[in-house]
Amino acid sequence: MSSTPTLPRDMRNTVLPGHAACHGCPIPMGLKVVGAVFGDKVILVVPACCTSVVLGMHPGTAFNGSVIHVAFASAAAVASGISAGLFKRGVRGVQVVAWAGDGGTADIGMASLSGAAERNDDFIYVMYDNEAYMNTGIQRSSATPAGAWTTTTPLGKKESKKDVTKILIAHGVPYVATASIAYPHDFYNKLKKAAGIRGFKFIYLHAPCPVGWRFDPSLTVKVAKLAVETGMIILYEYYDGKIHISGPSRPLLDKSRRRPLIEYLKFQGRFHGISEGELRNLESYVDSSWEWVKKFMQ
Amino acid sequence: MSNLTKKAKSLHKIPIARPSIGVAGRTGTWRWMKPVVDLSKCTKCYQCEIYCPDNSISVEALKGAVVNYEYCKGCGVCAEVCPAKAISMVEEEQHGP
Ligand SMILES: Cc1ncc(C[n+]2csc(CCOP(=O)(O)OP(=O)(O)O)c2C)c(N)n1
Ligand code: SF4
Ligand code: SF4
Ligand code: SF4
Ligand SMILES: [Mg+2]
């Protein structure tokens, strides 16, 4: 964590109490950091996902900024249009943030996301990853990790997690980063840095969901921390053609400093009863992610 | 403003939602466990306030962490992240509204 002891006060005022999220939901934790960075000078573009529900229904909204709820596949396209419109009208100092789930990013929104990245449109895209379609009842997405139970993978998902961050790096955009709701200062710094860069910025945000992952709602932050400490999720930034590893993940370049993966899995009902083979499979997924990161650090 | 925009404005009220507390009601009624802060242990480190998904606990400069029971859902995140173990989760005596 950075040396900053607290986040700015706007964190308190941006996500209003009495919203519709489940107990221990990671989404408002992430949105509070967005609020800490931008205050109400932000326009969120939200496709269908848990966030649409969390923020509540007309005539109220729990987000003390501007929000546009849009059709599923269109978040990046709408954000492109708003950012271009603001620019033409000479409106400065308002940040456009597309805020979409893993389903809305890795699967359904991929085409419009790729288009916006290729055009280098000027906004920040945040993919909050709760690793399944939670809003509609925990169906697998391409970002669900192998071995995880969902309602559409009752025996555990067979395929590996799609790494969207890598795909965005391949687009050659100016800034790509990974973050976690357990490290709000790190996420804060990354949003700040992204806001200072013109063009397309992508931030992946790991967001453990107590309901879909089957863990106690008090453990959201703990599970998110364990994902980083076991090396399952690697925090880094990509700019100037290189990966720059972030503070919480840096010591874990040394594999012996990583906690055993099982410490992360054991709190989650979705991994109960995974086989030895599936565990090995996940471990080698982690190892190969690290090898890939190391290659791009040079 | 062009005449056309003026006309459109007078004819249609756009149903814009306004930021408001309690869009899902008084969510304190969702609680079955209740966080209780032992202020003598609180070091005002802000961890609970930073992570609370419901923005229902805030650190007051002189006093320490204070819970807003009107909206706190009782998830227990604050108790879990508190490094001073100043928050305990106790069962609610009365369930429901
Ligand atoms: C075109 C279209 N297809 C399907 C849906 C139904 N739908 C709404 S939210 C959702 C799941 C979204 O999953 P994700 O993007 O991962 O966000 P999460 O709910 O997990 O936060 C689905 C399938 C829809 N609203 N529109
Ligand atoms: S299902 Fe998960 S991500 Fe969705 S609102 Fe509930 S806790 Fe949050
Ligand atoms: S129990 Fe949950 S909702 Fe209540 S104050 Fe603690 S973190 Fe916030
Ligand atoms: S986390 Fe604990 S010690 Fe820190 S401010 Fe909250 S109650 Fe006080
Ligand atoms: Mg999801």
Side-chain angles (χ1 to χ4, degrees), chain B residues 9 14 17 19 25 28 36 49 57 59 70 76 85 94 96:
Chain B
K9 274 213 163 164
I14 303 170
V36 177
E49 175 171 336
I57 185 163
V59 180
E70 189 90 355
K85 305 239 172 299
Q94 215 187 321

Side-chain angles (χ1 to χ4, degrees), chain A residues 256-269:
Chain A
S256 68
R257 306 276 300 269
R258 290 174 219 157
R259 284 165 168 249
L261 192 57
I262 195 73
E263 290 187 21
Y264 168 59
L265 307 181
K266 74 179 180 199
F267 288 105
Q268 305 173 47

Side-chain angles (χ1 to χ4, degrees), chain A residues 45 70 73-81 98 109 112-114 116-117 119 121 123 125 200:
Chain A
V45 182
V70 301
S74 69
V78 173
S80 294
S112 63
L113 169 62
S114 178
R119 294 188 302 270
D121 287 335
F123 66 94
Y125 191 107
F200 189 87

Side-chain angles (χ1 to χ4, degrees), chain B:
Chain B
M1 213 187 291
S2 78
N3 279 340
L4 203 64
T5 339
K6 261 191 209 148
K7 193 161 181 209
K9 274 213 163 164
S10 64
L11 283 176
H12 302 285
K13 271 208 173 115
I14 303 170
I16 292 177
R18 304 281 168 202
S20 26
I21 291 175
V23 275
R26 278 178 48 233
T27 49
T29 59
W30 299 13
R31 200 170 55 234
W32 65 90
M33 296 293 278
K34 168 183 184 166
V36 177
V37 184
D38 179 349
L39 289 171
S40 69
K41 287 192 191 160
C42 174
T43 60
K44 308 185 188 93
C45 71
Y46 283 89
Q47 291 296 302
C48 54
E49 175 171 336
I50 286 172
Y51 289 110
C52 171
D54 293 276
N55 258 337
S56 293
I57 185 163
S58 45
V59 180
E60 289 180 10
L62 298 174
K63 213 169 157 195
V66 177
V67 179
N68 176 354
Y69 291 112
E70 189 90 355
Y71 295 105
C72 158
K73 292 172 186 160
C75 65
V77 163
C78 53
E80 184 61 38
V81 299
C82 174
K85 305 239 172 299
I87 306 176
S88 36
M89 299 301 292
V90 301
E91 201 155 338
E92 282 286 348
E93 281 153 32
Q94 215 187 321
H95 296 259

Side-chain angles (χ1 to χ4, degrees), chain A residues 156-172:
Chain A
K157 192 186 171 205
K158 298 278 172 279
E159 303 78 12
S160 281
K161 183 181 179 74
K162 183 197 277 183
D163 190 340
V164 179
T165 316
K166 279 185 193 168
I167 300 175
L168 268 294
I169 288 176
H171 280 73

